[in-house]
Amino acid sequence: MLADRAAIPFAELKIDALLVSSPPNVRYLSGFTGDNGLLLLTPDSQTLFTDPRFTIQAAEECRCEVKTVTKTPLDQAAVQTIRKRRWKRMGFEASRMLYEMHQRLGESLPKGVRLKPIGPVVEKFRMIKSSGEIAQIRRSVLTNSEAFEKATRSIRLGAPESAIAAELEYQMRRLGAEKAAFETIVAIGSRSALPHAQPTARKLANDELLLIDMGACQDGYMSDMTRVLFFGRPSRRVRGMYNAVLKAQLAAIDAVRPGITAAQVDRAARRVLETEGLGKEFVHSTGHGLGLEIHEGPRLGRRDKTKLEPGMAITIEPGAYIRDFGGIRIEDTVLVTKNGCEVLTPTSKELRLL
Ligand code: ZN
Ligand code: ZN
């Protein structure tokens, strides 16, 4: 059971019980995949509160006690349990609980019960993936890459960004994903300079860059990949920029191993792009953890001192963006292993010509 691995340090946190309200954390701890669940944890009990739409689903998915709540918000049912058990120090996830819920709890909990904000404790456990989770991420990565191969085969001159994005997501779902991990990015020509471009009606013309950033969500687990294609014959400038970003990406992958910090991996990519004269054009961090959410810890940026550990799943995705010209980003999903890392993404990183 997932929750066994997440030994919440109640004593250290000085709490009697913890309220977990964010769906990915609820799912991680209890197995419940519905979007309305509140988990009440103590050192020796686990209760999931949900509404009648999820009674059957929760019984199938969870091994913990499930309470179906009607007529009141879930937190009000939790209050009754807290009152009965006389817990005094209630932890809640400071960065996850809605203000509304916090306010209601504050008003309805008995006098003497304290609500104590807790940092990302569950997220810390989630950073290190179990072998089961790694297998799920691998499947998601393979689905994503296969969808990319299938969809890119049919790209023709004149295809709009929106149609290319739709085809990528259609293929993903046909291959087993339940949805895209995030809104698929398809950016043609100078629009590729927008790192988070949303697909538009812009059509693919001759001698243009085509940047695709896509991820699958399969059995709840995310994958993430960016590739750049070119329709026609790339100029020297495009080739030069592509090779510089690829060099940075390979340098960062080379740096990934247990014990190194997330910031050091970012530094490895940044150093290459600075040497190539593209330091200022690299406007985001080198990567991020992923799993039940598309963005998890660690953040591979300048300031994250988290030490990498075996079992972390991260992306490596340096890029360079030039206004009115275009952008290049190359991204793989990577697993930190005992001796270094394994690049999970099987898709070739050569500049693909259409
Ligand atoms: Zn991406
Ligand atoms: Zn990413």
Side-chain angles (χ1 to χ4, degrees):
M1 192 167 154
L2 283 172
D4 295 345
R5 289 183 300 111
I8 311 280
F10 290 95
E12 199 184 304
L13 295 167
K14 298 193 172 73
I15 53 172
D16 302 315
L18 176 63
L19 278 165
V20 178
S21 53
S22 73
N25 284 349
V26 169
R27 178 172 185 161
Y28 181 77
L29 294 167
S30 72
F32 179 60
T33 64
D35 59 10
N36 190 31
L38 178 67
L39 197 59
L40 180 55
L41 299 172
T42 71
D44 48 25
S45 72
Q46 266 193 55
T47 310
L48 177 80
F49 299 90
T50 188
D51 71 67
R53 292 171 303 162
F54 296 108
T55 310
I56 299 170
Q57 185 181 329
E60 284 171 2
E61 292 175 339
C62 310
R63 278 208 267 152
C64 65
E65 183 189 6
V66 176
K67 283 191 177 165
T68 303
V69 181
T70 49
K71 292 183 194 134
T72 65
L74 304 184
D75 49 90
Q76 293 306 295
V79 165
Q80 287 175 24
T81 306
I82 296 164
R83 200 188 286 271
K84 240 184 266 160
R85 303 288 297 268
R86 302 199 175 157
W87 293 318
K88 293 286 175 237
R89 302 166 305 171
M90 294 300 309
F92 71 94
E93 303 175 280
S95 63
R96 301 275 197 170
M97 184 177 280
L98 287 179
Y99 176 70
E100 211 179 42
M101 186 182 284
H102 182 267
Q103 210 177 20
R104 252 193 329 259
L105 284 168
E107 284 163 7
S108 51
L109 281 169
K111 270 214 170 78
V113 177
R114 260 184 62 214
L115 279 170
K116 212 177 156 203
I118 296 300
V121 273
V122 183
E123 286 82 350
K124 272 208 186 110
F125 289 108
R126 282 175 49 198
M127 276 205 284
I128 316 292
K129 272 70 186 176
S130 69
S131 54
E133 289 183 292
I134 292 167
Q136 280 169 309
I137 292 171
R138 270 182 207 282
R139 274 200 291 279
S140 177
V141 165
L142 293 180
T143 292
N144 196 42
S145 284
E146 212 181 318
F148 172 82
E149 296 298 345
K150 283 213 154 83
T152 49
R153 248 180 256 150
S154 64
I155 296 175
R156 301 281 178 267
L157 199 66
E161 291 171 347
S162 54
I164 297 171
E167 181 66 22
L168 290 162
E169 292 184 9
Y170 170 72
Q171 291 296 348
M172 240 183 244
R173 294 189 67 168
R174 287 207 61 167
L175 291 162
E178 54 261 24
K179 59 181 178 185
F182 51 89
E183 277 184 57
T184 303
I185 296 170
V186 176
I188 291 170
S190 58
R191 287 187 39 78
S192 57
L194 283 69
H196 272 198
Q198 283 190 312
T200 64
R202 165 90 183 248
K203 290 183 174 134
L204 186 61
N206 254 323
D207 294 329
E208 275 196 315
L209 279 165
L210 169 60
L211 183 146
I212 293 174
D213 186 350
M214 64 191 287
C217 172
Q218 187 160 345
D219 298 322
Y221 282 83
M222 311 298 171
S223 47
D224 198 356
M225 168 176 86
T226 308
R227 289 294 183 267
V228 171
L229 302 91
F230 198 89
F231 201 93
R233 272 191 57 194
S235 63
R236 272 175 72 176
R237 190 180 182 196
V238 167
R239 280 198 183 278
M241 199 164 144
Y242 190 90
N243 291 335
V245 172
L246 181 56
K247 211 165 142 187
Q249 206 249 3
L250 294 173
I253 288 173
D254 205 45
V256 174
R257 70 181 73 95
I260 196 172
T261 66
Q264 281 174 294
V265 176
D266 178 71
R267 187 78 213 114
R270 219 163 281 285
R271 202 179 297 132
V272 172
L273 286 170
E274 278 161 10
T275 315
E276 298 281 340
L278 289 167
K280 284 204 178 68
E281 284 70 31
F282 179 20
V283 295
H284 51 74
S285 53
T286 295
H288 52 88
L290 80 178
L292 286 171
E293 288 178 285
I294 187 64
H295 292 119
E296 298 184 359
R299 178 191 162 89
L300 288 90
R302 291 174 201 268
R303 280 176 293 275
D304 194 333
K305 299 280 184 323
T306 307
K307 282 204 168 117
L308 298 191
E309 288 178 52
M312 283 183 176
I314 55 175
T315 69
I316 299 291
E317 51 176 309
Y321 310 88
I322 299 172
R323 194 176 185 161
D324 298 326
F325 175 70
I328 307 277
R329 176 167 66 258
I330 303 169
E331 173 180 31
D332 287 325
T333 299
V334 171
L335 175 71
V336 183
T337 61
K338 254 200 281 178
N339 306 314
C341 72
E342 180 189 346
V343 178
L344 301 181
T345 309
T347 310
S348 150
K349 283 188 278 206
E350 281 199 25
L351 177 58
R352 204 172 284 218
L353 305 182
L354 289 168

